[in-house]
Amino acid sequence: MPEGSACPLVAGVDGCPGGWVAVLRNGAADPAPRIALLGNFSGLLALDPAPAVFAVDMPIGLAGRSGLGGRGPERHVRRHLGARQSSVFSLPARASVMCEDYREACRVALATSEPPRKVSKQAFNLFPKIREIDALMTPELEARVYEVHPELGFWRLNGGTEMSLPKKIRNEGSMPGIEQRQALLECHGFPASFWRQPRPSGVGADDLVDAAVNAVIAERIWKGEAQAFPHDFERDAKGLRMAIWA
């Protein structure tokens, strides 16, 4: 980052029922962050003007075999999240992620994990979006596209302490936890009016706070302030790094 440079346009991205929701803003002083809903990830990459950094809440880089607790990134971030660590799914090996049938994904996961482990339904439901990103990602795109995790982002913005309230209960958004996160994001430049605007169809309140915190982490990445978990990350068979940033 050039000294004294203003933050360029960045995007915090989260998968949602409507596709991909992105929060776009030009630094913490931006009075009016924008919301964009795209049906596919290639549409995000084609945004004009183009964001300098995309911080995406979706696994990027798929291991050939899966260890206890998933990939290295999942194992490294859980230790920081206390009661929120259940939000970090264990990702199976690449061959399992490529399966479109749940039973087949479990069979392949058992054969490519140590100790042998099946796939959770929650993780399996993410597979289509993971495959979508994987089909587009290259080592060259890594200069702009980074894997993040919202709860690790909130941990970072909350002084290295996990959020005390859950954002979801029984797979439904929980407003006390969502409002706690909104208040924290207001301390990082989001106007209170941002939460009161109508959300696009297919975007939940929890999706929006996740995309918003990802946008703040995108700014940290651009400024060189973000850290990779793990620091000594590995690369997958496609040459993609396996790291979560915050």
Side-chain angles (χ1 to χ4, degrees):
M1 178 187 71
E3 187 174 349
S5 295
C7 188
L9 183 70
V10 299
V13 182
D14 188 44
C16 64
W20 298 90
V21 59
V23 169
L24 307 161
R25 75 171 191 169
N26 292 94
D30 189 342
R34 280 77 70 208
I35 303 171
L37 178 64
L38 284 299
N40 52 62
F41 197 77
S42 58
L44 286 168
L45 296 178
L47 284 172
D48 186 17
V53 174
F54 293 88
V56 185
D57 175 23
M58 200 61 63
I60 299 173
L62 306 174
R65 293 189 64 83
S66 177
L68 182 65
R71 305 174 303 160
E74 286 98 53
R75 295 194 299 272
H76 278 76
V77 303
R78 283 194 192 97
R79 66 187 66 170
H80 300 292
L81 296 183
R84 306 283 80 81
Q85 64 182 279
S86 62
S87 65
V88 183
F89 299 136
S90 295
L91 194 69
R94 172 181 287 278
S96 177
V97 175
M98 294 301 145
C99 296
E100 298 184 14
D101 176 78
Y102 179 64
R103 290 185 178 181
E104 179 66 5
C106 287
R107 184 192 69 78
V108 174
L110 283 169
T112 54
S113 58
E114 185 59 45
R117 180 184 175 92
K118 292 183 179 180
V119 181
S120 71
K121 276 286 190 178
Q122 295 98 324
F124 179 76
N125 290 337
L126 298 177
F127 285 6
K129 282 186 165 62
I130 298 173
R131 290 194 294 265
E132 185 182 351
I133 291 183
D134 185 69
L136 295 168
M137 276 300 297
T138 65
E140 291 72 29
L141 262 180
E142 288 182 347
R144 297 174 61 209
V145 181
Y146 293 76
E147 178 183 347
V148 297
H149 190 283
E151 289 307 309
L152 188 69
F154 285 118
W155 166 85
R156 176 67 77 192
L157 301 188
N158 198 37
T161 301
E162 75 273 13
M163 302 301 286
S164 62
L165 299 176
K167 185 179 56 201
K168 281 189 170 184
I169 297 177
R170 299 186 187 89
N171 240 10
E172 296 290 334
S174 173
M175 284 313 298
I178 290 170
E179 289 169 355
Q180 182 187 53
R181 287 158 178 78
Q182 291 173 344
L184 179 58
L185 286 164
E186 287 169 24
C187 296
H188 291 269
F190 275 89
S193 59
F194 181 77
W195 316 115
R196 295 194 293 268
Q197 65 184 303
R199 295 189 306 274
S201 177
V203 178
D206 57 318
D207 300 320
L208 190 59
V209 294
D210 283 355
V213 73
N214 294 346
V216 179
I217 299 303
E219 293 163 7
R220 288 180 55 85
I221 291 169
W222 185 80
K223 294 174 182 177
E225 297 173 353
Q227 174 186 352
F229 294 79
H231 176 72
D232 54 344
F233 56 80
E234 298 178 348
R235 291 186 175 272
D236 73 359
K238 289 182 63 175
L240 302 177
R241 67 183 168 225
M242 292 185 285
I244 296 174
W245 296 75

